[in-house]
Amino acid sequence: MDTHKIWNGIKLGDSDSFLALYDAVYTALFRYGLKITSDREVVKESIHILFCDLWERREKLPALNTDPRYYLFVWLKRIIFKQRATQNLSLDDLFDVPVEDSIEAQKIAIEETLERDDALGRAMSKLTRKQYRYIELKFFHNKSYEEIAAIENAAIRTVYNVVHEAIKKLKGSLTVLIVFILSFSK
């Protein structure tokens, strides 16, 4: 994916480029957001705000010499901080407010997230269409096996089997990444 070309397309008002960027970076942004706050709803809302702002400000977007994903990660972080600041937090919640990391620590976190996202994308591309869909529903949309069965009009046992086979297929090359994904499927 040529993110610079997509970025420039967005600046010109190309909605296909906007959708391509959204599809390409949503998962990585979501994972990065979860490093900042464990509140999944705040992360989803913040990503929504980011993309609304991105489209509204498309004509004023800067020309970037680096990967636009870095720009989006920093933008997301700022939105999450603003979201958290506007919430009425209790004393206990104040301990959960993230502390600003150094620029180097932020860059390392972004790099790690992008590397995981790229590795996951390569591994997921090797799955069958059905395996890909079930894994996506189970781990990225947090659906239960019963919900997946209803959505896909399949038997629950079939869903279990397809997810199991997909995980087995991914396991060989992505053992560490699988543990990471499974940690978010609670």
Side-chain angles (χ1 to χ4, degrees), residues 1-9 17 20-21 24 67-68:
M1 164 183 75
D2 183 0
T3 53
H4 284 91
K5 183 177 178 182
I6 291 172
W7 186 259
N8 290 329
S17 293
L21 183 67
D67 187 337

Side-chain angles (χ1 to χ4, degrees), residues 53-71:
D53 287 351
L54 176 69
W55 186 251
E56 288 175 11
R57 299 175 186 179
R58 65 187 175 274
E59 294 171 354
K60 297 177 184 174
L61 292 174
L64 300 174
N65 295 328
T66 61
D67 187 337
R69 294 181 293 181
Y70 291 111
Y71 186 79

Side-chain angles (χ1 to χ4, degrees), residues 54-122:
L54 176 69
W55 186 251
E56 288 175 11
R57 299 175 186 179
R58 65 187 175 274
E59 294 171 354
K60 297 177 184 174
L61 292 174
L64 300 174
N65 295 328
T66 61
D67 187 337
R69 294 181 293 181
Y70 291 111
Y71 186 79
L72 295 173
F73 278 79
V74 172
W75 195 348
L76 177 64
K77 184 176 183 177
R78 288 184 182 142
I79 292 170
I80 290 171
F81 280 137
K82 284 181 188 175
Q83 291 284 95
R84 297 284 300 198
T86 60
Q87 294 175 341
N88 293 326
L89 300 175
S90 69
L91 188 57
D92 290 335
D93 292 333
L94 288 175
F95 292 109
D96 293 334
V97 174
V99 177
E100 190 72 35
D101 290 330
S102 70
I103 298 294
E104 190 60 32
Q106 290 177 45
K107 187 173 181 180
I108 289 169
I110 291 170
E111 285 288 337
E112 289 172 351
T113 302
L114 291 174
E115 286 173 19
R116 275 194 300 270
D117 190 57
D118 290 344
L120 178 61
R122 285 190 304 275

Side-chain angles (χ1 to χ4, degrees), residues 15-177:
S15 59
D16 289 336
S17 293
F18 178 78
L19 293 173
L21 183 67
Y22 181 88
D23 289 341
V25 301
Y26 181 87
T27 304
L29 285 169
F30 185 74
R31 277 195 230 113
Y32 182 69
L34 288 175
K35 287 183 174 191
I36 300 168
T37 179
S38 60
D39 188 335
R40 297 171 74 88
E41 293 308 312
V42 168
V43 174
K44 289 177 187 177
E45 171 88 10
S46 298
I47 292 171
H48 176 75
I49 291 168
L50 180 139
F51 278 97
C52 288
D53 287 351
L54 176 69
W55 186 251
E56 288 175 11
R57 299 175 186 179
R58 65 187 175 274
E59 294 171 354
K60 297 177 184 174
L61 292 174
L64 300 174
N65 295 328
T66 61
D67 187 337
R69 294 181 293 181
Y70 291 111
Y71 186 79
L72 295 173
F73 278 79
V74 172
W75 195 348
L76 177 64
K77 184 176 183 177
R78 288 184 182 142
I79 292 170
I80 290 171
F81 280 137
K82 284 181 188 175
Q83 291 284 95
R84 297 284 300 198
T86 60
Q87 294 175 341
N88 293 326
L89 300 175
S90 69
L91 188 57
D92 290 335
D93 292 333
L94 288 175
F95 292 109
D96 293 334
V97 174
V99 177
E100 190 72 35
D101 290 330
S102 70
I103 298 294
E104 190 60 32
Q106 290 177 45
K107 187 173 181 180
I108 289 169
I110 291 170
E111 285 288 337
E112 289 172 351
T113 302
L114 291 174
E115 286 173 19
R116 275 194 300 270
D117 190 57
D118 290 344
L120 178 61
R122 285 190 304 275
M124 293 282 289
S125 70
K126 296 176 184 174
L127 299 176
T128 67
R129 181 178 293 158
K130 183 187 271 189
Q131 288 172 333
Y132 185 96
R133 175 79 174 140
Y134 286 16
I135 290 290
E136 182 181 48
L137 288 169
K138 177 70 180 146
F139 298 109
F140 298 113
H141 297 288
N142 221 21
K143 301 292 183 190
S144 69
Y145 289 104
E146 293 79 11
E147 290 171 318
I148 297 169
I151 291 168
E152 296 295 313
N153 196 26
I156 294 173
R157 190 80 214 134
T158 301
V159 175
Y160 277 110
N161 291 340
V162 170
V163 169
H164 174 76
E165 287 301 314
I167 290 173
K168 204 162 87 176
K169 200 175 206 181
L170 291 170
K171 206 173 191 176
S173 60
L174 296 174
T175 304
V176 172
L177 190 55

